[in-house]
PDB file of all heavy atoms in Angstrom:
ATOM      1  N   TYR Y 179      -5.339  10.298  10.534  1.00  0.00           N
ATOM      2  CA  TYR Y 179      -6.768  10.122  10.294  1.00  0.00           C
ATOM      3  C   TYR Y 179      -7.519  10.645  11.524  1.00  0.00           C
ATOM      4  O   TYR Y 179      -7.544  10.004  12.581  1.00  0.00           O
ATOM      5  CB  TYR Y 179      -7.102   8.654  10.047  1.00  0.00           C
ATOM      6  CG  TYR Y 179      -8.541   8.439   9.635  1.00  0.00           C
ATOM      7  CD1 TYR Y 179      -8.985   8.828   8.375  1.00  0.00           C
ATOM      8  CD2 TYR Y 179      -9.454   7.855  10.515  1.00  0.00           C
ATOM      9  CE1 TYR Y 179     -10.305   8.639   7.983  1.00  0.00           C
ATOM     10  CE2 TYR Y 179     -10.778   7.657  10.137  1.00  0.00           C
ATOM     11  CZ  TYR Y 179     -11.192   8.061   8.871  1.00  0.00           C
ATOM     12  OH  TYR Y 179     -12.497   7.883   8.488  1.00  0.00           O
ATOM     13  N   TRP Y 229     -22.276   8.559  19.179  1.00  0.00           N
ATOM     14  CA  TRP Y 229     -21.993   7.120  19.070  1.00  0.00           C
ATOM     15  C   TRP Y 229     -22.503   6.366  20.287  1.00  0.00           C
ATOM     16  O   TRP Y 229     -23.057   5.274  20.173  1.00  0.00           O
ATOM     17  CB  TRP Y 229     -20.501   6.889  18.879  1.00  0.00           C
ATOM     18  CG  TRP Y 229     -20.127   5.462  18.651  1.00  0.00           C
ATOM     19  CD1 TRP Y 229     -19.396   4.670  19.485  1.00  0.00           C
ATOM     20  CD2 TRP Y 229     -20.454   4.645  17.523  1.00  0.00           C
ATOM     21  NE1 TRP Y 229     -19.254   3.416  18.950  1.00  0.00           N
ATOM     22  CE2 TRP Y 229     -19.884   3.380  17.738  1.00  0.00           C
ATOM     23  CE3 TRP Y 229     -21.181   4.879  16.342  1.00  0.00           C
ATOM     24  CZ2 TRP Y 229     -20.014   2.332  16.826  1.00  0.00           C
ATOM     25  CZ3 TRP Y 229     -21.310   3.836  15.428  1.00  0.00           C
ATOM     26  CH2 TRP Y 229     -20.745   2.582  15.680  1.00  0.00           C
ATOM     27  N   ARG Y 237     -24.683  -0.183  16.114  1.00  0.00           N
ATOM     28  CA  ARG Y 237     -23.234  -0.311  16.320  1.00  0.00           C
ATOM     29  C   ARG Y 237     -22.760  -1.675  15.820  1.00  0.00           C
ATOM     30  O   ARG Y 237     -21.695  -1.799  15.201  1.00  0.00           O
ATOM     31  CB  ARG Y 237     -22.887  -0.110  17.795  1.00  0.00           C
ATOM     32  CG  ARG Y 237     -23.239   1.261  18.346  1.00  0.00           C
ATOM     33  CD  ARG Y 237     -22.452   1.610  19.588  1.00  0.00           C
ATOM     34  NE  ARG Y 237     -22.690   0.717  20.711  1.00  0.00           N
ATOM     35  CZ  ARG Y 237     -23.486   0.984  21.748  1.00  0.00           C
ATOM     36  NH1 ARG Y 237     -24.189   2.131  21.767  1.00  0.00           N
ATOM     37  NH2 ARG Y 237     -23.614   0.142  22.752  1.00  0.00           N
ATOM     38  N   ARG Y 240     -22.321  -1.703  12.064  1.00  0.00           N
ATOM     39  CA  ARG Y 240     -21.105  -1.015  11.603  1.00  0.00           C
ATOM     40  C   ARG Y 240     -19.860  -1.889  11.846  1.00  0.00           C
ATOM     41  O   ARG Y 240     -18.956  -1.935  11.028  1.00  0.00           O
ATOM     42  CB  ARG Y 240     -20.944   0.336  12.305  1.00  0.00           C
ATOM     43  CG  ARG Y 240     -22.013   1.348  11.978  1.00  0.00           C
ATOM     44  CD  ARG Y 240     -21.743   2.066  10.648  1.00  0.00           C
ATOM     45  NE  ARG Y 240     -21.795   1.244   9.448  1.00  0.00           N
ATOM     46  CZ  ARG Y 240     -22.906   0.830   8.856  1.00  0.00           C
ATOM     47  NH1 ARG Y 240     -24.079   1.175   9.334  1.00  0.00           N
ATOM     48  NH2 ARG Y 240     -22.853   0.085   7.776  1.00  0.00           N
ATOM     49  N   ILE Y 241     -19.828  -2.584  12.986  1.00  0.00           N
ATOM     50  CA  ILE Y 241     -18.706  -3.485  13.260  1.00  0.00           C
ATOM     51  C   ILE Y 241     -18.739  -4.657  12.286  1.00  0.00           C
ATOM     52  O   ILE Y 241     -17.693  -5.118  11.810  1.00  0.00           O
ATOM     53  CB  ILE Y 241     -18.740  -3.974  14.723  1.00  0.00           C
ATOM     54  CG1 ILE Y 241     -18.615  -2.785  15.680  1.00  0.00           C
ATOM     55  CG2 ILE Y 241     -17.603  -4.967  14.986  1.00  0.00           C
ATOM     56  CD1 ILE Y 241     -18.895  -3.131  17.131  1.00  0.00           C
ATOM     57  N   LEU Y 244     -17.296  -3.470   9.142  1.00  0.00           N
ATOM     58  CA  LEU Y 244     -15.837  -3.404   9.284  1.00  0.00           C
ATOM     59  C   LEU Y 244     -15.219  -4.788   9.111  1.00  0.00           C
ATOM     60  O   LEU Y 244     -14.205  -4.944   8.412  1.00  0.00           O
ATOM     61  CB  LEU Y 244     -15.486  -2.824  10.659  1.00  0.00           C
ATOM     62  CG  LEU Y 244     -14.007  -2.770  11.022  1.00  0.00           C
ATOM     63  CD1 LEU Y 244     -13.230  -1.899  10.044  1.00  0.00           C
ATOM     64  CD2 LEU Y 244     -13.838  -2.240  12.451  1.00  0.00           C
ATOM     65  N   VAL Y 328     -10.128  -1.978  19.515  1.00  0.00           N
ATOM     66  CA  VAL Y 328     -11.077  -1.060  18.888  1.00  0.00           C
ATOM     67  C   VAL Y 328     -12.467  -1.694  18.779  1.00  0.00           C
ATOM     68  O   VAL Y 328     -13.483  -1.030  19.053  1.00  0.00           O
ATOM     69  CB  VAL Y 328     -10.576  -0.616  17.501  1.00  0.00           C
ATOM     70  CG1 VAL Y 328     -11.627   0.245  16.806  1.00  0.00           C
ATOM     71  CG2 VAL Y 328      -9.267   0.168  17.645  1.00  0.00           C
ATOM     72  N   LEU Y 332     -15.805   0.000  20.348  1.00  0.00           N
ATOM     73  CA  LEU Y 332     -16.917   0.443  19.502  1.00  0.00           C
ATOM     74  C   LEU Y 332     -18.224  -0.234  19.903  1.00  0.00           C
ATOM     75  O   LEU Y 332     -19.289   0.396  19.930  1.00  0.00           O
ATOM     76  CB  LEU Y 332     -16.613   0.147  18.037  1.00  0.00           C
ATOM     77  CG  LEU Y 332     -15.410   0.853  17.408  1.00  0.00           C
ATOM     78  CD1 LEU Y 332     -15.257   0.435  15.966  1.00  0.00           C
ATOM     79  CD2 LEU Y 332     -15.510   2.362  17.534  1.00  0.00           C
ATOM     80  N   THR Y 357     -12.176   1.439   8.445  1.00  0.00           N
ATOM     81  CA  THR Y 357     -13.248   2.038   9.248  1.00  0.00           C
ATOM     82  C   THR Y 357     -14.049   3.039   8.427  1.00  0.00           C
ATOM     83  O   THR Y 357     -15.271   3.142   8.566  1.00  0.00           O
ATOM     84  CB  THR Y 357     -12.693   2.728  10.505  1.00  0.00           C
ATOM     85  OG1 THR Y 357     -11.868   3.851  10.150  1.00  0.00           O
ATOM     86  CG2 THR Y 357     -11.895   1.767  11.366  1.00  0.00           C
ATOM     87  N   GLU Y 358     -13.354   3.776   7.565  1.00  0.00           N
ATOM     88  CA  GLU Y 358     -14.036   4.750   6.712  1.00  0.00           C
ATOM     89  C   GLU Y 358     -14.925   4.028   5.704  1.00  0.00           C
ATOM     90  O   GLU Y 358     -16.080   4.417   5.488  1.00  0.00           O
ATOM     91  CB  GLU Y 358     -13.001   5.616   6.004  1.00  0.00           C
ATOM     92  CG  GLU Y 358     -13.580   6.775   5.218  1.00  0.00           C
ATOM     93  CD  GLU Y 358     -12.477   7.705   4.713  1.00  0.00           C
ATOM     94  OE1 GLU Y 358     -11.408   7.202   4.293  1.00  0.00           O
ATOM     95  OE2 GLU Y 358     -12.690   8.925   4.750  1.00  0.00           O
ATOM     96  N   GLU Y 359     -14.390   2.973   5.102  1.00  0.00           N
ATOM     97  CA  GLU Y 359     -15.151   2.202   4.127  1.00  0.00           C
ATOM     98  C   GLU Y 359     -16.354   1.522   4.762  1.00  0.00           C
ATOM     99  O   GLU Y 359     -17.402   1.342   4.122  1.00  0.00           O
ATOM    100  CB  GLU Y 359     -14.240   1.162   3.476  1.00  0.00           C
ATOM    101  CG  GLU Y 359     -14.831   0.462   2.271  1.00  0.00           C
ATOM    102  CD  GLU Y 359     -13.836  -0.452   1.579  1.00  0.00           C
ATOM    103  OE1 GLU Y 359     -12.612  -0.284   1.791  1.00  0.00           O
ATOM    104  OE2 GLU Y 359     -14.288  -1.348   0.831  1.00  0.00           O
ATOM    105  N   ALA Y 360     -16.230   1.175   6.050  1.00  0.00           N
ATOM    106  CA  ALA Y 360     -17.330   0.513   6.761  1.00  0.00           C
ATOM    107  C   ALA Y 360     -18.410   1.489   7.207  1.00  0.00           C
ATOM    108  O   ALA Y 360     -19.455   1.061   7.712  1.00  0.00           O
ATOM    109  CB  ALA Y 360     -16.784  -0.246   7.964  1.00  0.00           C
ATOM    110  N   GLY Y 361     -18.149   2.783   7.051  1.00  0.00           N
ATOM    111  CA  GLY Y 361     -19.180   3.767   7.370  1.00  0.00           C
ATOM    112  C   GLY Y 361     -19.241   4.215   8.805  1.00  0.00           C
ATOM    113  O   GLY Y 361     -20.281   4.708   9.258  1.00  0.00           O
ATOM    114  N   LEU Y 362     -18.135   4.087   9.549  1.00  0.00           N
ATOM    115  CA  LEU Y 362     -18.137   4.620  10.921  1.00  0.00           C
ATOM    116  C   LEU Y 362     -18.282   6.141  10.871  1.00  0.00           C
ATOM    117  O   LEU Y 362     -17.645   6.807  10.046  1.00  0.00           O
ATOM    118  CB  LEU Y 362     -16.834   4.264  11.640  1.00  0.00           C
ATOM    119  CG  LEU Y 362     -16.684   2.850  12.191  1.00  0.00           C
ATOM    120  CD1 LEU Y 362     -15.376   2.736  12.942  1.00  0.00           C
ATOM    121  CD2 LEU Y 362     -17.836   2.485  13.102  1.00  0.00           C
ATOM    122  N   PRO Y 363     -19.081   6.720  11.744  1.00  0.00           N
ATOM    123  CA  PRO Y 363     -19.227   8.177  11.757  1.00  0.00           C
ATOM    124  C   PRO Y 363     -17.898   8.873  12.039  1.00  0.00           C
ATOM    125  O   PRO Y 363     -17.012   8.331  12.711  1.00  0.00           O
ATOM    126  CB  PRO Y 363     -20.215   8.414  12.895  1.00  0.00           C
ATOM    127  CG  PRO Y 363     -20.976   7.126  13.027  1.00  0.00           C
ATOM    128  CD  PRO Y 363     -19.977   6.054  12.695  1.00  0.00           C
ATOM    129  N   ALA Y 364     -17.757  10.070  11.516  1.00  0.00           N
ATOM    130  CA  ALA Y 364     -16.525  10.835  11.693  1.00  0.00           C
ATOM    131  C   ALA Y 364     -16.211  11.014  13.172  1.00  0.00           C
ATOM    132  O   ALA Y 364     -17.087  11.347  13.971  1.00  0.00           O
ATOM    133  CB  ALA Y 364     -16.675  12.202  11.025  1.00  0.00           C
ATOM    134  N   GLY Y 365     -14.963  10.788  13.529  1.00  0.00           N
ATOM    135  CA  GLY Y 365     -14.500  10.987  14.893  1.00  0.00           C
ATOM    136  C   GLY Y 365     -14.640   9.789  15.803  1.00  0.00           C
ATOM    137  O   GLY Y 365     -14.065   9.774  16.891  1.00  0.00           O
ATOM    138  N   VAL Y 366     -15.391   8.773  15.383  1.00  0.00           N
ATOM    139  CA  VAL Y 366     -15.535   7.586  16.221  1.00  0.00           C
ATOM    140  C   VAL Y 366     -14.209   6.823  16.320  1.00  0.00           C
ATOM    141  O   VAL Y 366     -13.845   6.311  17.373  1.00  0.00           O
ATOM    142  CB  VAL Y 366     -16.664   6.684  15.676  1.00  0.00           C
ATOM    143  CG1 VAL Y 366     -16.677   5.333  16.378  1.00  0.00           C
ATOM    144  CG2 VAL Y 366     -18.011   7.380  15.862  1.00  0.00           C
ATOM    145  N   PHE Y 367     -13.473   6.782  15.211  1.00  0.00           N
ATOM    146  CA  PHE Y 367     -12.125   6.200  15.221  1.00  0.00           C
ATOM    147  C   PHE Y 367     -11.146   7.218  14.669  1.00  0.00           C
ATOM    148  O   PHE Y 367     -11.401   7.856  13.641  1.00  0.00           O
ATOM    149  CB  PHE Y 367     -12.046   4.929  14.374  1.00  0.00           C
ATOM    150  CG  PHE Y 367     -10.642   4.415  14.228  1.00  0.00           C
ATOM    151  CD1 PHE Y 367     -10.054   3.677  15.226  1.00  0.00           C
ATOM    152  CD2 PHE Y 367      -9.883   4.723  13.095  1.00  0.00           C
ATOM    153  CE1 PHE Y 367      -8.734   3.237  15.118  1.00  0.00           C
ATOM    154  CE2 PHE Y 367      -8.579   4.288  12.969  1.00  0.00           C
ATOM    155  CZ  PHE Y 367      -8.007   3.546  13.982  1.00  0.00           C
TER     156      PHE Y 367
END
Side-chain angles (χ1 to χ4, degrees):
Y179 187 71
W229 184 246
R237 298 201 298 259
R240 294 279 66 77
I241 299 169
L244 176 61
V328 175
L332 297 180
T357 65
E358 187 172 39
E359 190 174 341
L362 282 184
V366 170
F367 173 80

